[in-house]
Amino acid sequence: MILYYDTKTGNVQRFINKVVQITGWTAVRIQESMQIEEEGHLVTFTTNFGQIPAITQDFMDRNSSKIFSVSSSGNRNWGRNFGVAADKISSLFDIPLAFKFELSGTMDDIYQFIDIIKNQYYDSKRGSKKLDIA
């Protein structure tokens, strides 16, 4: 299992570190102009009160065909814009929304995310919207 992720403040990095520690999955921080070979899941953040981060957008423009699902961190203080980058990515690239978590997530969030990726969408092909439970 590969998790591709983008982080700015470190919240997504902390979330990913916990997931990797528990599961042993591979995590790759996305970079500008990155082209991937292996399929995986995307975890990103929401910026500027509801925008997709520029590096995440560029990554998806290049690699969306290899991404099974999207998850996002956010801040509930943003109200309806909480984790909305995942909603936008899901809609723009027709990729299921797996999960939204606040800041770096709680341990319950970590285990719920693992359960969703492992049991509800592991090795599934795109096109299914059954992950839209966030």
Side-chain angles (χ1 to χ4, degrees), residues 122-134:
Y122 185 74
D123 282 344
S124 295
K125 294 299 176 192
R126 291 177 43 187
S128 168
K129 292 296 184 183
K130 75 177 190 177
L131 278 185
D132 294 341
I133 63 171

Side-chain angles (χ1 to χ4, degrees), residues 1-4 25-28 35-42 59 63-69 117 121-126:
M1 181 64 59
I2 299 178
L3 303 175
Y4 296 100
W25 294 344
T26 300
V28 177
Q35 191 74 34
I36 63 173
E37 297 297 320
E38 296 184 64
E39 297 169 326
H41 300 267
L42 174 66
F59 174 82
N63 301 289
S64 65
S65 66
K66 294 183 177 153
I67 300 300
F68 290 135
S69 73
I117 299 302
Y121 210 62
Y122 185 74
D123 282 344
S124 295
K125 294 299 176 192
R126 291 177 43 187

Side-chain angles (χ1 to χ4, degrees), residues 2-6 28-36 38-45 51-72 84-98 121 126 129:
I2 299 178
L3 303 175
Y4 296 100
Y5 72 96
D6 194 2
V28 177
R29 185 171 181 174
I30 62 176
Q31 305 293 320
E32 267 186 69
S33 303
M34 184 176 190
Q35 191 74 34
I36 63 173
E38 296 184 64
E39 297 169 326
H41 300 267
L42 174 66
V43 181
T44 191
F45 62 97
Q51 299 303 310
I52 300 170
I55 291 175
T56 298
Q57 180 72 50
D58 177 65
F59 174 82
M60 290 303 294
D61 288 341
R62 295 170 185 275
N63 301 289
S64 65
S65 66
K66 294 183 177 153
I67 300 300
F68 290 135
S69 73
V70 60
S71 298
S72 180
V84 78
D87 298 300
K88 290 180 177 182
I89 291 168
S90 176
S91 178
L92 283 170
F93 297 99
D94 193 29
I95 296 171
L97 169 61
Y121 210 62
R126 291 177 43 187
K129 292 296 184 183

Side-chain angles (χ1 to χ4, degrees), residues 45-54 57 72-75 77-89 92 100:
F45 62 97
T46 300
T47 191
N48 295 329
F49 301 101
Q51 299 303 310
I52 300 170
Q57 180 72 50
S72 180
S73 74
N75 188 318
N77 289 340
W78 293 0
R80 63 187 177 103
N81 285 332
F82 168 68
V84 78
D87 298 300
K88 290 180 177 182
I89 291 168
L92 283 170
K100 293 181 186 181

